[in-house]
């Protein structure tokens, strides 16, 4: 089965960014992709570079027009779309990813749990920590987990998703500067430790304060590249995945079977 990750540079016009995304989806569909994932905050410039109350106006509900357009596309093409958005839910705001299934229905939402607060990634000013745990979404193409950006640097999340049955984990990110080695190493390690496919989809384009480098990639359960890294320009990353292979690799490397959770209780009480 073929999957795709879409990276592109965002302008300040969020509606034109959606139009660009819809055109790029067609390219992924024409190449046979059944599951398509976008970059973190897919249709917005990287507003968390600083703190600005006006930026909350960029948020929207999962029931809004932008998600509706993707639902129509998913239904017409019979594909699954993973759509990272700036979600508004009543009085709270989240860095989220909407899962749209092949019938055009919203299968659910993942909300980023680990929200950083560092220079140029001032996310705690905007986003509440995710409150939906680590859901696994069942689709006709396989079981999908999601870890947005910093979530991937906390291996507990990837382990939980794998234990709950995820075949693949998608990792939308917004990474700039010289961090590609860190991200590829961490994500490859997570894939190996859990015997799971992982696709990282990173932002591209030069914005006011950051140069997002793209370099999206996909690794197999042995941490080997099976797609990418892409370059710095707008790109469609394609990868072929075989979820039946997971059973083989988990027999060959029985890491999950040999877990000793009774010995891990200290993780709940020990602090650095």
């Amino acid at each position: 089965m073929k999957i795709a990750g879409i990276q592109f540079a965002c302008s300040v016009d969020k509606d034109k960014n959606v139009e660009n995304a819809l055109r790029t989806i067609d390219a992924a569909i024409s190449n046979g992709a059944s599951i398509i994932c976008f970059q973190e905050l897919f249709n917005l410039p990287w507003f968390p570079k600083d703190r600005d109350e006006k930026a909350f106006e960029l948020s929207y509900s999962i029931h809004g027009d932008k998600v509706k357009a993707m639902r129509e596309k998913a239904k017409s093409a019979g594909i699954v779309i993973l759509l990272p958005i700036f979600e508004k839910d009543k009085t709270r705001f989240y860095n989220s990813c909407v899962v749209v299934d092949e019938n055009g229905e919203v299968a659910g939402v993942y909300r980023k749990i680990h929200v950083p607060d560092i220079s140029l990634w001032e996310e705690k000013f905007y986003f509440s920590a995710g409150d939906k745990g680590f859901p696994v979404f069942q689709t006709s193409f396989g079981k999908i987990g999601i870890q947005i950006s910093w979530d991937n640097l906390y291996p507990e999340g990837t382990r939980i998703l794998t234990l709950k049955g995820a075949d693949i984990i998608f990792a939308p990110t917004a990474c700039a500067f010289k961090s590609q080695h860190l991200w590829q190493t961490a994500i490859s390690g997570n894939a190996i430790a859990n015997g799971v496919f992982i696709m990282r989809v990173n932002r591209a384009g030069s914005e006011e304060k950051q140069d997002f480098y793209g370099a999206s990639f996909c690794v197999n359960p042995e941490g080997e590249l099976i797609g990418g890294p892409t370059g710095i320009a707008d790109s469609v990353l394609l990868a072929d995945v075989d979820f039946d292979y997971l059973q083989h690799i988990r027999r060959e490397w029985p890491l999950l079977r040999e877990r000793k959770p009774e010995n891990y209780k200290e993780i709940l009480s020990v602090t650095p």
Side-chain angles (χ1 to χ4, degrees), residues 149-191:
S149 202
W150 266 38
D151 288 337
N152 293 277
L153 303 181
Y154 297 83
E156 297 87 352
T158 305
R159 175 55 52 88
I160 290 169
L161 290 171
T162 304
L163 293 174
K164 291 173 74 172
D167 299 310
I168 185 167
I169 295 170
F170 286 89
T173 62
C175 301
F177 311 125
K178 296 180 179 180
S179 63
Q180 169 66 2
H181 174 71
L182 182 154
W183 284 96
Q184 188 168 326
T185 301
I187 286 175
S188 296
N190 286 343

Side-chain angles (χ1 to χ4, degrees), residues 9-71:
C10 283
S11 72
V12 296
D13 189 327
K14 60 183 181 180
D15 294 323
K16 286 188 176 179
N17 293 334
V18 173
E19 293 173 5
N20 185 22
L22 289 168
R23 286 193 300 270
T24 311
I25 279 183
D26 288 336
I29 293 171
S30 68
N31 279 282
S34 297
I35 306 173
I36 300 172
C37 180
F38 283 95
Q39 63 203 14
E40 187 175 5
L41 299 178
F42 92 103
N43 72 312
L44 299 175
W46 188 250
F47 62 87
K49 66 185 183 300
D50 50 29
R51 303 184 177 204
D52 183 356
E53 290 284 349
K54 292 183 178 180
F56 285 98
E57 298 174 4
L58 298 171
S59 64
Y60 49 93
S61 163
I62 65 171
H63 306 295
D65 291 342
K66 294 168 184 60
V67 177
K68 182 180 178 181
M70 293 296 173
R71 291 178 60 186

Side-chain angles (χ1 to χ4, degrees), residues 29 33-35 72-80 101-104 140-141:
I29 293 171
S34 297
I35 306 173
E72 292 172 352
K73 177 66 72 171
K75 183 177 181 179
S76 65
I79 59 171
V80 170
D101 69 20
E102 61 279 9
N103 298 311
S140 62
F141 302 115

Side-chain angles (χ1 to χ4, degrees), residues 208-238:
E208 182 181 350
K209 294 184 178 181
Q210 291 129 305
D211 293 317
F212 296 100
Y213 55 76
S216 300
F217 63 88
C218 187
V219 293
N220 67 13
E222 295 170 290
E224 300 169 331
L225 284 168
I226 58 172
T230 57
I232 62 174
D234 295 6
S235 303
V236 177
L237 167 68
L238 297 168

Side-chain angles (χ1 to χ4, degrees), residues 194-211:
N194 293 283
V196 68
F197 292 95
I198 304 180
M199 176 177 272
R200 183 266 189 117
V201 186
N202 191 40
R203 293 176 72 94
S206 294
E207 298 190 20
E208 182 181 350
K209 294 184 178 181
Q210 291 129 305
D211 293 317

Side-chain angles (χ1 to χ4, degrees), residues 89-120:
D89 184 11
K90 298 179 181 177
T91 60
R92 299 179 74 84
F93 301 85
Y94 300 95
N95 188 336
S96 300
C97 184
V98 181
V99 179
V100 181
D101 69 20
E102 61 279 9
N103 298 311
E105 299 297 326
V106 174
V109 179
Y110 174 73
R111 291 170 172 167
K112 184 176 181 178
I113 289 176
H114 302 96
V115 181
D117 185 23
I118 59 176
S119 178
L120 301 180

